[in-house]
Amino acid sequence: RVEIETDTSNKQRKLLWTVLIINFLFFGLEMLFGIFSNSMGLVADSLDMLADSIVYGLALFAVGGTITRKNNIAKFAGYFQILLAVIGFVEVVRRFIGVEKMPDFQTMIIVSVLALIANVICLYLLQKGKSKEAHMQASMIFTSNDVIINSGVIVAGLLVHWLNSSYPDLIIGAIVFVIVARGAYRILKLVE
């Protein structure tokens, strides 16, 4: 029994390290290109990738721990996501009120397609792990949200181009933060 738990813990650690590295790399990539392309959608998604990296790091800390520790880590991750969503939403409102230059739609689309591919790989790896533990379920919720978010940023990039307006980028930024908050709520419900 102890050997099976150790094997499961080692598999979870390896999996979490893999998705953590992928997400952290894409946090940096999306933040860099989000700032250079003036895209709130990319910046929002990069912050979501950072939050996911932190969640995966916390989940790594939970592997092999007690159910209480795993649930507490999932709870902390949920509250952290809510804080991130509030900060992001304030930035979106600030940009709506101010005068913003047009985001570069091509950069938005290219970087989001790459992030989408990375998140689909992460989701596949997490689902292949088939864990029902709260810290691993929380990781899957974050990653499935990311797939939706990446698709939204791609659509926003197309709309920015077709409508010649920065509003689709700001709207997708706002939606990203709503999705982040919704994911946080789902995680907090998991550990009640």
Side-chain angles (χ1 to χ4, degrees):
R1 178 164 161 72
V2 173
E3 202 172 289
I4 292 170
E5 283 180 20
T6 303
D7 188 44
T8 301
S9 294
N10 287 339
K11 284 180 182 172
Q12 284 183 358
R13 276 190 192 90
K14 185 178 177 184
L15 174 60
L16 288 166
W17 271 113
T18 302
V19 294
L20 185 152
I21 290 166
I22 291 169
N23 273 264
F24 196 74
L25 288 172
F26 272 89
F27 152 67
L29 184 75
E30 284 189 303
M31 181 59 78
L32 183 69
F33 284 102
I35 290 168
F36 287 133
S37 68
N38 197 44
S39 169
M40 190 64 213
L42 284 178
V43 169
D45 192 31
S46 77
L47 291 175
D48 184 49
M49 293 285 224
L50 173 63
D52 291 352
S53 299
I54 291 168
V55 168
Y56 299 140
L58 289 170
L60 271 166
F61 180 68
V63 171
T66 64
I67 296 292
T68 304
R69 183 165 92 178
K70 291 173 182 178
N71 287 346
N72 286 339
I73 285 171
K75 202 179 292 184
F76 176 81
Y79 287 124
F80 179 76
Q81 288 282 73
I82 289 171
L83 176 66
L84 182 71
V86 169
I87 291 168
F89 209 76
V90 167
E91 176 61 14
V92 169
V93 169
R94 187 193 70 73
R95 287 185 180 212
F96 257 115
I97 294 169
V99 177
E100 288 295 314
K101 61 182 197 181
M102 285 285 288
D104 177 11
F105 78 94
Q106 291 168 318
T107 303
M108 287 175 69
I109 293 169
I110 291 167
V111 174
S112 291
V113 165
L114 294 173
L116 177 64
I117 292 166
N119 279 313
V120 166
I121 291 168
C122 289
L123 187 60
Y124 170 75
L125 292 171
L126 288 166
Q127 286 177 337
K128 203 170 92 172
K130 294 183 175 112
S131 175
K132 298 291 180 214
E133 296 176 85
H135 67 294
M136 295 302 287
Q137 289 291 310
S139 298
M140 276 191 268
I141 289 170
F142 287 137
T143 307
S144 59
N145 283 345
D146 289 345
V147 169
I148 296 166
I149 289 166
N150 297 137
S151 303
V153 177
I154 292 166
V155 170
L158 292 169
L159 290 173
V160 163
H161 177 62
W162 291 333
L163 301 174
N164 197 31
S165 168
S166 64
Y167 286 135
D169 181 53
L170 294 175
I171 291 166
I172 194 61
I175 291 170
V176 166
F177 292 117
V178 169
I179 290 171
V180 168
R182 195 175 131 256
Y185 175 75
R186 286 173 62 196
I187 287 161
L188 293 173
K189 292 299 276 181
L190 270 178
V191 294
E192 277 185 347

